[in-house]
Amino acid sequence: MDNHNISRHISGQFNAELEAIRTHVLAMGGLVERQLTDALRAMHNQDVDLARHVIREDHKVNGMEVAIDEACTRIIAKRQPTASDLRLVMAIIKTITDLERIGDVADSIAKMALDNSSYSQQPFLVSLEALGQRAAKMLHDVLDAFARMDIDAAMKVYRKDDSLDREYEGILRQLMTYMMEDPRSIPNVLKVMWSARAIERVGDRCQNICEYIIYFVKGKDVRHIQKEELEKLLK
Amino acid sequence: MDNHNISRHISGQFNAELEAIRTHVLAMGGLVERQLTDALRAMHNQDVDLARHVIREDHKVNGMEVAIDEACTRIIAKRQPTASDLRLVMAIIKTITDLERIGDVADSIAKMALDNSSYSQQPFLVSLEALGQRAAKMLHDVLDAFARMDIDAAMKVYRKDDSLDREYEGILRQLMTYMMEDPRSIPNVLKVMWSARAIERVGDRCQNICEYIIYFVKGKDVRHIQKEELEKLLK
């Protein structure tokens, strides 16, 4: 009886520790989402103070990645999780890498917002902001799916990446035409192009997080399989 | 005495399993290195067959990432590693993510090599190949450092990224000037530019692997710290 109580107690503590890590990941996700939308707003409104704020906050994202990674390693060493508990820890370790990289995208957009020369490209910043909002929505939704470990919600996000890619291709074509018409604009337009590409990659990172959610729930690693196969697998 | 033997036996098996994973990582690294140098050679020699071969082989890199990840999760669940054993597993889980992404770079360079239009940019492909060879050397050296878990060798690679970055910046400027002088070349030059950027990122990924080596040996997470701090730390 005592033994049983102790093991319940241990498992209760273990669950509390796992739950604390999960909460920490969601907090990190919230911060990254805020960083991304703030960076987009700073760019759109040419708000230098907000851009500087985003750049200053980036170290917090990095610090959270390191702290969560440490907590994951500690829980593995101390609690020796197996099965779905271990899958959760693994999914978290991978998720925070992608979140940190999205944080880097926010940081680089904020740096572009500080660079006055880019404002001569104002018409393009509007399409860039629309692209960014779409990526930020994907991030918001995938964090929701992660909070509930909801495969259906994750798949909805997963499917949205196609339209983000199409919008990105459209912007690229637009930017290329502009450069060809006005070659002096090339250095500045290129900056917009790098940012567009970085935002397009946010969509890919959200898709990665969807794959970790599926890995946790289904116990199956679905990276590197075709979208059609994935859809069949989850039916 | 029996107990002691059993525990030696278990630990012997555990070591064999860990060693098998480590060997698998080195094999993956070898394949990725070959993919990268083959892709560069295919681009340089306009060798369509070799380019197709690289593209066909990419699934092997992906398969190895998934298999090693599974083996790591299995060893954690079964053997409950702690201390430096656990750090090795963690370092491996992170290393293979970076290796897989370098594999993607090889794949995308091979795809560019298949795209005949890029050959009108022949003079730039020479600088691109030099940049690529420099990145491939970094990859080769960091895999060597990983095989021996040698911090000094890792730091040598780490420091090399600066010169890769400078060479990349030089190529960018060259490409930009070319585009401004001949705007019709823009779509093709942009393809070269994307590849140059992808190669520059290979250097960053090699730096990441250096950080995992330091993490394993020193037990300290050195991501997100300045290079100067890192040098001081390792003195």
Side-chain angles (χ1 to χ4, degrees), chain A residues 62 65-66 69 73 76 80 86 90 94 100-101 176 180 183 186 190 193-194 197 208 223-224, chain B residues 62 65 69 73 76 80 86 90 94 100-101 176 180 183 190 193-194 197 208 221 223-224:
Chain A
N62 298 342
E65 184 195 16
V66 171
D69 236 342
T73 311
I76 289 176
Q80 298 156 349
L86 180 54
M90 290 303 183
K94 288 173 190 291
E100 191 271 331
R101 298 283 157 81
M176 231 187 288
M180 290 169 88
I186 289 174
L190 274 177
M193 224 176 224
W194 295 134
R197 191 169 178 96
N208 292 346
R223 294 174 299 181
H224 312 305
Chain B
N62 298 343
E65 184 195 17
D69 235 341
T73 312
I76 290 177
Q80 299 156 353
L86 180 55
M90 290 304 186
K94 287 174 192 293
E100 191 271 329
R101 298 283 156 81
M176 231 188 288
M180 290 170 88
L190 274 177
M193 224 176 223
W194 295 134
R197 192 169 178 97
N208 292 346
D221 190 336
R223 293 173 297 181
H224 313 305

Side-chain angles (χ1 to χ4, degrees), chain B residues 166-209:
Chain B
R166 275 196 302 273
E167 192 170 333
Y168 164 69
E169 297 290 343
I171 292 175
L172 269 201
R173 267 193 303 273
Q174 204 187 358
L175 291 173
M176 231 188 288
T177 313
Y178 195 77
M179 287 199 285
M180 290 170 88
E181 281 167 3
D182 178 13
R184 287 163 311 164
S185 72
I186 289 175
N188 286 331
V189 176
L190 274 177
K191 287 178 198 158
V192 179
M193 224 176 223
W194 295 134
S195 295
R197 192 169 178 97
I199 293 172
E200 183 266 330
R201 295 284 296 135
V202 170
D204 298 338
R205 298 200 174 277
C206 290
Q207 276 197 322
N208 292 346
I209 298 175

Side-chain angles (χ1 to χ4, degrees), chain B residues 25 28 90-100 143 146 209 212-213:
Chain B
V25 175
M28 181 182 176
M90 290 304 186
I92 286 174
I93 288 174
K94 287 174 192 293
T95 296
I96 56 174
T97 305
D98 284 292
L99 287 179
E100 191 271 329
L143 289 170
F146 187 90
I209 298 175
Y212 310 143
I213 294 172

Side-chain angles (χ1 to χ4, degrees), chain A residues 48-62:
Chain A
V48 171
D49 288 339
L50 187 56
R52 289 212 178 98
H53 176 76
V54 170
I55 294 164
R56 264 200 315 274
E57 293 284 286
D58 186 50
H59 79 277
K60 284 194 190 163
V61 176
N62 298 342

Side-chain angles (χ1 to χ4, degrees), chain B residues 100-148:
Chain B
E100 191 271 329
R101 298 283 156 81
I102 297 175
D104 286 345
V105 173
D107 183 68
S108 72
I109 293 172
K111 279 173 184 153
M112 193 188 75
L114 277 188
D115 178 358
N116 289 318
S117 61
S118 63
Y119 292 126
S120 55
Q121 308 311 322
Q122 190 59 27
F124 297 116
L125 294 185
V126 176
S127 357
L128 201 59
E129 213 234 342
L131 187 76
Q133 290 302 350
R134 200 189 274 266
K137 178 78 169 72
M138 277 181 76
L139 176 59
H140 179 87
D141 292 348
V142 81
L143 289 170
D144 255 12
F146 187 90
R148 293 177 285 121

